[in-house]
Amino acid sequence: IVMSFKARQQSVWVKVVDAKGEVRLSRNIAAGERVECGGVLPLMVILGRADSVDVEVRGKPFDFSAFARDNVARFEVK
């Protein structure tokens, strides 16, 4: 498991695609729910309602605020 996401509010949308182009995660996450994912690195991540989700990479909090625009974050995890 490379990453985990925990929603603080309803309907946080998460999409993760691995280096092979396989969609590893693509769904809404309910408030309080935590989901984990992995795959072949690098992972391309898109978060909707980015202000409402906490992200951990390899068990440590990950600050993705620099990648957020209009409450959507797009970033890569290597």
Side-chain angles (χ1 to χ4, degrees):
I1 297 165
V2 178
M3 304 186 70
S4 68
F5 306 90
K6 184 173 181 186
R8 293 190 306 273
Q9 295 179 13
Q10 259 331 76
S11 298
V12 172
W13 184 75
V14 179
K15 183 173 183 178
V16 179
V17 180
D18 73 8
K20 293 182 178 179
E22 292 182 25
V23 176
R24 306 301 298 196
L25 182 65
S26 181
R27 57 174 283 212
N28 286 334
I29 302 173
E33 184 179 6
R34 179 186 178 99
V35 295
E36 299 174 333
C37 92
V40 179
L41 299 177
L43 301 176
M44 297 299 301
V45 181
I46 302 173
L47 298 173
R49 294 196 65 188
D51 63 347
S52 300
V53 63
D54 295 320
V55 177
E56 289 186 358
V57 175
R58 295 177 190 89
K60 299 194 185 302
F62 180 73
D63 180 8
F64 57 87
S65 60
F67 307 106
R69 300 282 181 275
D70 298 322
N71 211 15
V72 175
R74 291 177 170 85
F75 57 92
E76 181 178 271
V77 174
K78 297 180 180 184

